[in-house]
Amino acid sequence: MVSSQYVFTFRCDRRPYGSLTHPSAPDGRFKLEVEGADETYIPNQLYTVRITETDGESRFTGFMISAEGEVRQDPKNPRKMITLSPGDVTPRNYLTTKFSNRCHFSVEHAVGTPKSSAEVYWHAPASGNGCVTLRAMVAENKESWYEDGGPLSLYLCEDMRQPDDITPQVNYNCEICDEAKYEITFTGIWSRNTHPRFYPENDWLPRYSDLVGASHAADVILWAPGSLITDGVKDVAEYANTTRFEQEIREKIGSGVRTLIKGKGHGYLKMNYPTYSFIRTDKVNHLITAAVGIHPSPDWFLGVSRFELCQGDSWLTERELNLYPWDAGTDNGVSYESANFPTFPQAAVSRVETSSYDKHSPFYEMDMKEMHPFGTLRIKLVKTYQRDCTSKTNEEPSESSTTTEEGTSTTEQPSTESEGLSEPEEPSRYRYTDNTGQPPLVTDPESSEDCPMTQWLEWTPCDGPCENGRVSGFQWRERFHLVDGVAVEKYDPNVDPSTRKEVPRFCKNHYEDFERRECEDDCDEEQNEVAR
């Protein structure tokens, strides 16, 4: 948002106090520099601005650093001029520097002792404020002083390049007739090595929530920078709980949402394990939005919003995005393990303050260029389904070319994976026959069409020592991956082990086939006899 002041501010008098002389032309012995910026600035980022000597011996006693915004015509009244925001210049050390009472957006010395350098903070303006001029006045004494000129002024313009997780421009008129299937892979990077500042002391505590999102139409917003979040996204950001967000998406399926994205979250010892999901897209539903909560955190999450897959006349082939934290605007905490401190009223989604003034922040004096990503999101086109532009959505797709992992192409038969497609002669994809004469196997509805699994077996009896008529221990249950309708890794004495089918690696990583939990129960008669 562009901030502006409707008064055209003239250049203020920055001469040293008590001076009656004019400034001398800069001779190169002093220069102004911005740490971490060349000729551009990243909006809303914190920078250190420094005056320093260049010859190893020169000293100065007084200084002033000012920021000036661009002057433009007022779009509401072309006869009026407005000055855009130059950001904020603030002291870094309040013992030696102070806000200037002579000039707006300026900081000057508070102590007139000889010095070789001086530093202040500059908080760059929000996006849309154009270019900013930073100017310095340097005084050796009240009679010898310098201002502006090449070494003492800098002209910085907004860096229009965006981080990877900022969506490209939305294509509101996608003309691709073919449908597409994508593999979405989230891989965590957050660790004590990559993000050491205030990383939680207990290694078992940090974890990622499930990856949850959807492929959807252009008029659907699940979350977006600058907007208030839903209760579901709040749960993701504050508690790494995706249940409510997933339900919000499911309620939109068929009315702006095509496919749910769902991938298993990982924690201790598995933080860098990838998690996978598959989605379908078409000319109406060609955007993806996804979110991953990071725990612990006040209200921070990773993700992409309204990321465009329709690239002109073809589908995006592959892209890997670096993910950086977003602030959900619901909690004022500054560090991972900050106490709960609700934001009231709720604020809009924004980038986590990566240039925080707060020394308790993991991102103290850090800008986006210095931060390591917290994860990556890989979007890979798996296959396309050819469709005639005049076809209705419930018609069969024709044969299509499939891009395999090795990059070769093969011919696929008509697929039944797409929503809205059906083949009455085929059994439901939720039922499979295991060729053993047993009843059909029923898949767990929590699994996916790409990684089908049997339903969970019943929990085993509680197993443990019997004391005083009660058993305390553990019980477990299993389910099995289905490949071509066969329950893989399920014991069957009639099947040659060498002919067993192999479960895809991403299915093994994505879906658990064994669960164990603590339990308590009454001892049965046999256990009571043993206990006696």
Side-chain angles (χ1 to χ4, degrees), residues 12 46 60 96 134-135 140 191 216 253 316 360 384 465 498:
C12 64
L46 185 72
F60 58 95
T96 58
L134 297 176
R135 303 182 186 277
E140 293 183 284
S191 72
H216 58 86
I253 292 178
L316 175 73
H360 297 95
T384 58
S498 65

Side-chain angles (χ1 to χ4, degrees), residues 189-333:
I189 300 178
W190 185 33
S191 72
R192 191 180 303 280
N193 292 329
T194 58
H195 302 82
R197 185 175 175 85
F198 295 128
Y199 188 83
E201 286 296 321
N202 295 321
D203 287 331
W204 51 265
L205 190 60
R207 65 180 177 87
Y208 296 105
S209 75
D210 290 347
L211 167 70
V212 173
S215 61
H216 58 86
D219 59 351
V220 170
I221 298 178
L222 300 178
W223 72 267
S227 300
L228 297 180
I229 59 166
T230 64
D231 290 338
V233 181
K234 178 182 177 182
D235 284 356
V236 174
E238 291 194 6
Y239 310 113
N241 186 323
T242 61
T243 303
R244 189 149 49 162
F245 184 40
E246 183 178 339
Q247 182 60 34
E248 291 174 352
I249 295 173
R250 289 186 183 277
E251 290 173 355
K252 292 182 172 64
I253 292 178
S255 58
V257 167
R258 171 76 188 259
T259 312
L260 172 73
I261 297 173
K262 181 68 181 292
K264 181 177 176 59
H266 293 302
Y268 181 53
L269 297 181
K270 296 185 178 181
M271 289 287 284
N272 62 347
Y273 279 33
T275 185
Y276 302 87
S277 185
F278 293 86
I279 61 166
R280 292 289 293 269
T281 62
D282 53 51
K283 64 183 300 182
V284 174
N285 304 286
H286 48 86
L287 303 176
I288 62 169
T289 294
V292 177
I294 57 176
H295 176 83
S297 76
D299 59 345
W300 302 342
F301 68 101
L302 312 176
V304 294
S305 172
R306 297 167 57 76
F307 192 85
E308 182 61 79
L309 301 177
C310 182
Q311 308 287 302
D313 59 354
S314 63
W315 291 109
L316 175 73
T317 303
E318 187 171 359
R319 180 82 179 274
E320 184 167 282
L321 313 175
N322 289 318
L323 302 182
Y324 300 91
W326 293 98
D327 188 321
T330 60
D331 192 292
N332 288 327

Side-chain angles (χ1 to χ4, degrees), residues 19 48 83 102 104 112 117 172-173 196 208 214 243 283 299 324 356 386 390 409 431 446 448-449 475:
S19 175
T48 297
T83 302
R102 298 183 291 166
H104 294 300
S117 66
Y172 287 96
N173 189 28
Y208 296 105
T243 303
K283 64 183 300 182
D299 59 345
Y324 300 91
S356 174
Q386 294 180 3
T390 60
S409 294
R431 292 188 175 274
E446 292 185 358
S448 74
E449 60 188 62
Q475 57 183 170

Side-chain angles (χ1 to χ4, degrees), residues 310-475:
C310 182
Q311 308 287 302
D313 59 354
S314 63
W315 291 109
L316 175 73
T317 303
E318 187 171 359
R319 180 82 179 274
E320 184 167 282
L321 313 175
N322 289 318
L323 302 182
Y324 300 91
W326 293 98
D327 188 321
T330 60
D331 192 292
N332 288 327
V334 297
S335 191
Y336 301 120
E337 299 181 87
S338 293
N340 189 36
F341 185 21
T343 302
F344 185 82
Q346 180 178 328
V349 175
S350 62
R351 184 66 75 188
V352 165
E353 191 175 0
T354 54
S355 52
S356 174
Y357 295 101
D358 196 318
K359 292 185 177 181
H360 297 95
S361 168
F363 317 117
Y364 174 64
E365 295 186 7
M366 179 185 296
D367 63 32
M368 288 288 292
K369 295 178 181 177
E370 298 172 322
M371 182 189 291
H372 288 284
F374 276 61
T376 63
L377 193 74
R378 182 168 173 256
I379 305 167
K380 181 180 180 182
L381 180 64
V382 176
K383 65 177 72 172
T384 58
Y385 303 90
Q386 294 180 3
R387 284 189 178 278
D388 189 329
C389 281
T390 60
S391 298
K392 297 181 180 179
T393 57
N394 61 349
E395 291 181 354
E396 287 288 339
S398 61
E399 293 183 357
S400 63
S401 176
T402 301
T403 302
T404 65
E405 292 185 5
E406 292 75 28
T408 58
S409 294
T410 59
T411 300
E412 293 290 331
Q413 296 299 317
S415 171
T416 61
E417 293 175 300
S418 172
E419 300 82 353
L421 301 180
S422 61
E423 291 189 0
E425 299 302 320
E426 293 291 329
S428 165
R429 68 181 177 90
Y430 291 102
R431 292 188 175 274
Y432 295 90
T433 303
D434 63 5
N435 300 320
T436 63
Q438 300 297 320
L441 298 174
V442 181
T443 66
D444 189 332
E446 292 185 358
S447 62
S448 74
E449 60 188 62
D450 301 285
C451 296
M453 301 191 73
T454 66
Q455 287 187 327
W456 287 101
L457 300 178
E458 294 295 328
W459 288 99
T460 63
C462 192
D463 184 27
C466 176
E467 296 180 0
N468 300 321
R470 296 286 291 176
V471 60
S472 178
F474 295 91
Q475 57 183 170

Side-chain angles (χ1 to χ4, degrees), residues 139-208:
E140 293 183 284
N141 52 61
K142 66 179 182 180
E143 304 300 329
S144 178
W145 59 285
Y146 315 91
E147 70 172 345
D148 298 343
L152 294 178
S153 64
L154 294 171
Y155 185 68
L156 305 175
C157 294
E158 179 181 348
D159 188 345
M160 302 305 291
R161 295 171 297 176
Q162 297 283 6
D164 288 340
D165 52 1
I166 298 292
T167 182
Q169 187 172 359
V170 174
N171 179 2
Y172 287 96
N173 189 28
C174 181
E175 296 295 337
I176 304 176
C177 300
D178 295 347
E179 296 186 1
K181 178 180 180 180
Y182 280 91
E183 179 186 67
I184 310 296
T185 307
F186 170 76
T187 305
I189 300 178
W190 185 33
S191 72
R192 191 180 303 280
N193 292 329
T194 58
H195 302 82
R197 185 175 175 85
F198 295 128
Y199 188 83
E201 286 296 321
N202 295 321
D203 287 331
W204 51 265
L205 190 60
R207 65 180 177 87
Y208 296 105

